Amino acid sequence: MLILVGTAIAAPAPPASERWSSPSTGQTAPGAQPGGADANPATTNLRSGLSPGIWSLWLPLFCCLVLLASLVYSIRKLHNANNQLERRSRDLSSSNEQLKREIGERGRIEQALRASENFYSSLVETVPQNIFRKDLQGRYTFVNQAFCATSGKPASEISGKTDHELFPADLAASFQREDEHVLAGGKQIETEQNYPTPMRGRISVQMIRTPLFDSDGRSIGIQGIFWDVSERKRAARELDSVHRQLIDASRRVGMAEVATGVLHNVGNVLNSVNVSATLVSEHVKKSKLSSLGKVASLLSENADEPRFLMEHPRGKQLPGYLKDLAEHLRKEQATVLAELELLDKNIEHIKEIVAMQQTYAKLSGLKVAAKSSDIVDDALRLNSSALTRHEVQVVREYEDDPVIIVDKHQVLQTLVNLIRNAKYACDESGRSNKQIKLRIGRNGSDRVRIQVADNGVGIPRENLSRIFTRGFTTRADGHGFGLHSCMMAVQDLGGSLTGQSDGWGLGALFILDLPCQPKGTSQ
């Protein structure tokens, strides 16, 4: 447009005569009427009213207006372009800031990643456990320092090699099977095995293997960790040995407790036997049987005198004397027979006690079937004399009486000890109504529960957690091994023994839970 305007300004305006007619032809211009006048009156007036000078002024003005419009348009377009440039500049600045933040965030992430890698590396390299990684072909891709120390080789001699290149064939094959099992199952596997070392030979280790996966969940290998458990196994063997020794000791202590009960009962019965024997001996010594001999001798001396019994003063007294003597001898006989019957009963009691002890001694260590009440009654029988002497009332509450398969001797030891402790507790309380309750019932379908409750002195709360500790006792003459040995024996039977008390002076309750049959025994 600027070129057109410039061209119009630069070209000179032709004369009016040239603009309206052709001088060479004398013909009117197109649209003009002959005679030099326009056919349109308005046009004629305009042309006649505007001189060539006016036209020469309007044309530059028109061109200026066009140029001004073009300039306004250019300025507006330039303004729009400037606005777009500013927007783009702002967007670019925002993008630059975002990029700076992303670069900073990436730097922080890289720094945190390096710190995490350093932490992981330092942790893996300093832990005492042996850590390794393998690829799918079984080649070692990483081992830590502990692994190298156990193997006796540097990491450079282990990386890239398989178990067959590092270990004996049998062990390498075992490792390979376990690795394949981990990869096939995709789960962690824990095993205990013998691992070769250059200095100590094969040691016992606990090993955990887990599969490795990439970001898409594909298996890329395994990693493992293992540690030496030789010392732990040795300590476990020693602990098992000590445990067995304690069980044997508790059994011997229990046998001693039972034997003590037997001796107490036999001793008490022997006291009665001694009393009965003394009474019989005294009656025999004081018997009037010697007087009967004198009567016989008197009658023999006067056998030739038929009137001796009727006329002789001494003979007249003989019938009355014989009657009194017979009555006296009858009473004496009744007394002696009563003592002899009591003596016989006491001897039978001794025989029963000894026979029971012999039976339990023969069955010691053997598991036999027995009714729960029979074992409880035997334990009461062994404590009967002491319970009677201390005037302790025994109450039996047998809700159920299941047959159990147990080592009767160990159960008897435990019950004898619990009943004896309950007797001591009642005696120390000073009560006039001393009482021990024994309850038998079921605890579920496969366990029996035996409870020994007393109204004695009770157990302080601070001692409840210590009563089964070896050596703990509250009696001046106690050795602190009774309840501990009971606990050991019960645990050996697969049962439990617990004690309860609401405090001092409120009695105590001991609960013995036993399986009706040992594990692995068919019904």
Side-chain angles (χ1 to χ4, degrees), residues 46 52 102 124 134 154 159 189 191 209 232 268 300 305 309 357 377 432 452 493-494:
L46 178 61
E102 290 178 357
V124 169
K134 299 179 186 178
S159 297
I189 294 179
T191 58
R209 289 181 172 87
R232 189 191 71 186
N268 291 327
S300 176
E305 298 182 11
L309 293 176
Q357 168 62 12
D377 290 341
S432 58
V452 180
L493 294 173

Side-chain angles (χ1 to χ4, degrees), residues 345 347-357 381:
K345 289 181 180 179
I347 292 174
E348 285 296 323
H349 191 193
I350 292 175
K351 289 170 62 178
E352 290 176 0
I353 294 173
V354 173
M356 181 181 64
Q357 168 62 12
R381 193 174 296 113

Side-chain angles (χ1 to χ4, degrees), residues 140 143 147-148 151-163 165-167:
Y140 284 92
V143 290
F147 187 98
C148 297
S151 302
K153 297 178 181 179
S156 59
E157 295 183 11
I158 299 175
S159 297
K161 294 184 179 180
T162 64
D163 291 323
E165 298 175 275
L166 298 172
F167 303 108

